[in-house]
Amino acid sequence: MSFASVALCPALEEVVNFPGFIGRFGLSLDDPILIFLNIAESLNPMRVMESDSLASVKLRFQSIKGFFVKKQKLLYDGRELARDYLHHELTLDGENGENVIHLLIKKSSKVIAKPKDFSVEHVVVHHEIELPSLLKELISSTIEGLEKGNAPIKSSDGSGGAYFMQDQSGHKYVSVFKPIDEEPMAVNNPHGLPLSLDGEGLKKGTQVGEGAFREVAAYLLDYPITGPRSSPHDQPGFAGVPPTTMVKCLHKDFNHPNGYSFSQENAKIGSLQMFVSNVGTCEDMGYGVFPVDQVHKLSVLDIRLANADRHGGNILVSRDGNDGQIVLTPIDHGYCFPNKFEDCTFEWLYWPQAKEPYSSETLEYIKHLDAEQDIELLRFHGWEIPPSCARVFRISTMLLKKGAEKGLTPFAIGSIMCRETLEKESVIEQIIYEAEAIWSPETTEEEFISTVSDIMDRYLDQYSLN
């Protein structure tokens, strides 16, 4: 029995909008609904009127190219259209601002679509969590680039696997994918780094295989000046961490040392981050041109997350399209949320901007930070932050809030957190050791943090006097 099906998907804008294409068929893009039949790589437009029935449209499909079949199905979004729902289903797409619908006809096995050799899926943690449109578009544009045959391009920078994902044209990047199994010292690291024997990463206090979670967590906690992202929206974060989400991705051009086959066993989970156009990094230019407020926003993020890897190479420099104002964008947050402060390091610490006091707007932002609320937010999004990392996060947030309240500059607060030399313990480490000295097995986490708070007040009072 012969069989034909019709599936609806978005029209190709570059073809449909080509000058003279629509007029050649005596049609207009102002028509309520235009259908394009893609047959043997040839587009054939056809009107669908409100008065048309499902049966009449099926007959018109057959008459256009002689698709005479005994059984025919019209599908939309994987569901077969039935009875009189044709106009309802088609105009539903139009309500979303898309007046052009692209149909693809398949007749038996004579018209065969090229099978996909890749996959990109959002990792769903809770069905209650709705992705903001910016992240939906990020995943969609990544898929569109792969569909056009534009393969991932492996970055030559860094010590882990990172892949630039291209757009449909292949002329620009849209995202960066970092697989968990290709992190530094992970099993499939593409740069030949030795496998971690105890699970600890390149930075003290971090674990191999958790970098992608930290990348996403940094974006989630870099919420806007208005507060945490309680509902889907695309408002940029305070420090400008690019939109980031967790995906499951399959492609032959990722690192597969044991061979590759198109199977879900070869799919990689990792972070997908929006690519940010830039003119370079902070390593490429003098820090004297960086705006104070941009440096201060970086400092808030890095102190709060106890970043163990903030250097000039992972701060992108862009220019605002309106007035050419310099914008700093922090990336690479796989070494945030450590379980100890030993490797905390901040590139901006010795820039002159760090010795300027925080603005009233920044102080207000810091004032409303809440570590417990943040830990719950991360839990809701699927990351149960380890207790030792949660402790460090509570203490780093406390230090930022207390220091800012006492009028300390980013330099003063950052100096408390970072070591002067590799061997000399930082002030925050000394504070923790003092608290641990009076710790007992019966001490609760809340009591321990309260003890740290009291000792920290004493140290900060000395800084305030100076």
Side-chain angles (χ1 to χ4, degrees):
M1 178 183 293
S2 57
F3 176 85
S5 66
V6 181
L8 285 66
C9 59
L12 303 176
E13 288 186 21
E14 65 269 26
V15 176
V16 173
N17 293 326
F18 189 84
F21 179 84
I22 300 299
R24 192 173 68 202
F25 296 92
L27 302 174
S28 168
L29 279 176
D30 293 329
D31 286 326
I33 299 175
L34 291 179
I35 286 179
F36 290 85
L37 306 182
N38 187 348
I39 305 169
E41 300 183 354
S42 175
L43 289 182
N44 300 269
M46 184 181 80
R47 284 193 187 96
V48 174
M49 309 304 292
E50 185 171 0
S51 58
D52 284 327
S53 67
L54 188 63
S56 67
V57 171
K58 287 183 177 180
L59 287 173
R60 290 166 65 190
F61 285 159
Q62 295 194 45
S63 65
I64 288 179
K65 284 289 182 177
F67 283 86
F68 297 103
V69 293
K70 294 182 179 180
K71 186 176 181 181
Q72 189 181 105
K73 288 184 179 181
L74 182 60
L75 306 177
Y76 178 66
D77 197 22
R79 294 176 296 136
E80 182 178 4
L81 302 185
R83 297 185 181 178
D84 296 324
Y85 290 104
L86 174 64
H87 184 69
H88 167 73
E89 293 286 347
L90 294 182
T91 55
L92 180 63
D93 206 57
E95 289 172 2
N96 292 329
E98 296 178 6
N99 294 322
V100 179
I101 298 172
H102 179 195
L103 300 182
L104 174 64
I105 286 187
K106 295 180 181 179
K107 181 185 177 184
S108 186
S109 60
K110 294 181 180 179
V111 181
I112 302 175
K114 181 182 178 182
K116 290 184 178 181
D117 57 359
F118 68 90
S119 67
V120 180
E121 302 173 24
H122 175 242
V123 175
V124 178
V125 178
H126 290 300
H127 290 287
E128 308 167 28
I129 301 175
E130 182 183 347
L131 277 181
S133 60
L134 204 60
L135 287 175
K136 290 179 181 178
E137 292 169 7
L138 178 66
I139 295 173
S140 177
S141 58
T142 300
I143 293 174
E144 288 169 357
L146 293 173
E147 285 178 338
K148 285 292 185 179
N150 299 321
I153 298 177
K154 186 169 72 173
S155 172
S156 58
D157 296 329
S159 50
Y163 298 86
F164 295 111
M165 313 299 278
Q166 306 177 74
D167 71 347
Q168 292 188 65
S169 70
H171 295 152
K172 68 176 184 178
Y173 301 137
V174 293
S175 60
V176 181
F177 177 60
K178 295 181 179 180
I180 286 176
D181 69 320
E182 296 190 29
E183 291 179 12
M185 305 180 76
V187 61
N188 290 325
N189 178 266
H191 300 293
L193 292 178
L195 190 66
S196 175
L197 299 179
D198 57 4
E200 188 170 57
L202 284 180
K203 298 292 182 178
K204 300 290 180 62
T206 64
Q207 291 290 308
V208 173
E210 294 184 353
F213 295 103
R214 287 168 162 79
E215 293 274 9
V216 175
Y219 168 65
L220 291 172
L221 297 194
D222 179 37
Y223 37 74
I225 192 76
T226 53
R229 296 178 174 91
S230 56
S231 60
H233 59 74
D234 299 321
Q235 192 174 354
F238 185 71
V241 176
T244 313
T245 191
M246 195 75 73
V247 297
K248 186 177 182 180
C249 198
L250 179 63
H251 199 282
K252 63 181 179 62
D253 286 350
F254 299 143
N255 191 42
H256 298 282
N258 297 320
Y260 174 81
S261 62
F262 185 73
S263 166
Q264 286 304 311
E265 294 179 358
N266 286 317
K268 294 175 181 275
I269 293 177
S271 61
L272 187 73
Q273 184 171 88
M274 178 178 289
F275 178 81
V276 176
S277 298
N278 59 85
V279 295
T281 68
C282 287
E283 288 181 339
D284 302 322
M285 56 189 68
Y287 52 71
V289 299
F290 303 148
V292 172
D293 71 308
Q294 292 290 304
V295 176
H296 284 188
K297 288 178 179 180
L298 284 177
S299 73
V300 171
L301 180 73
D302 287 341
I303 293 172
R304 181 179 168 211
L305 306 188
N307 196 345
D309 189 40
R310 176 62 73 215
H311 54 79
N314 57 31
I315 307 174
L316 303 179
V317 181
S318 306
R319 290 191 178 275
D320 187 272
N322 298 323
D323 54 10
Q325 179 79 8
I326 286 180
V327 177
L328 302 181
T329 301
I331 58 172
D332 295 346
H333 296 104
Y335 293 119
C336 291
F337 306 96
N339 62 27
K340 61 180 70 174
F341 287 99
E342 186 174 341
D343 268 356
C344 285
T345 177
F346 309 140
E347 173 77 14
W348 48 261
L349 188 60
Y350 301 105
W351 297 351
Q353 297 92 328
K355 295 187 177 181
E356 296 288 331
Y358 282 126
S359 67
S360 57
E361 180 185 59
T362 301
L363 289 173
E364 189 68 16
Y365 181 84
I366 294 172
K367 179 181 177 180
H368 289 92
L369 295 176
D370 186 329
E372 299 306 322
Q373 177 180 276
D374 292 341
I375 291 171
E376 280 302 314
L377 180 64
L378 295 181
R379 182 177 292 118
F380 179 68
H381 282 268
W383 190 35
E384 187 72 43
I385 183 170
S388 57
C389 298
R391 171 177 287 186
V392 167
F393 178 62
R394 290 184 177 104
I395 294 173
S396 61
T397 303
M398 180 195 301
L399 174 62
L400 175 61
K401 290 172 67 70
K402 285 179 176 290
E405 185 179 9
K406 290 181 179 296
L408 299 186
T409 64
F411 170 77
I413 301 172
S415 297
I416 293 172
M417 186 175 287
C418 299
R419 292 186 171 192
E420 288 185 19
T421 67
L422 291 176
E423 303 302 325
K424 185 179 180 181
E425 294 170 349
S426 63
V427 175
I428 196 66
E429 289 176 288
Q430 296 172 25
I431 292 173
I432 293 172
Y433 289 147
E434 284 192 34
E436 289 176 338
I438 56 178
W439 175 86
S440 69
E442 294 77 27
T443 303
T444 66
E445 181 66 12
E446 184 178 357
E447 291 171 335
F448 180 80
I449 294 298
S450 178
T451 301
V452 170
S453 177
D454 293 339
I455 298 172
M456 186 183 293
D457 284 337
R458 174 162 46 87
Y459 275 84
L460 292 178
D461 286 339
Q462 296 175 0
Y463 273 83
S464 298
L465 292 175
N466 296 331

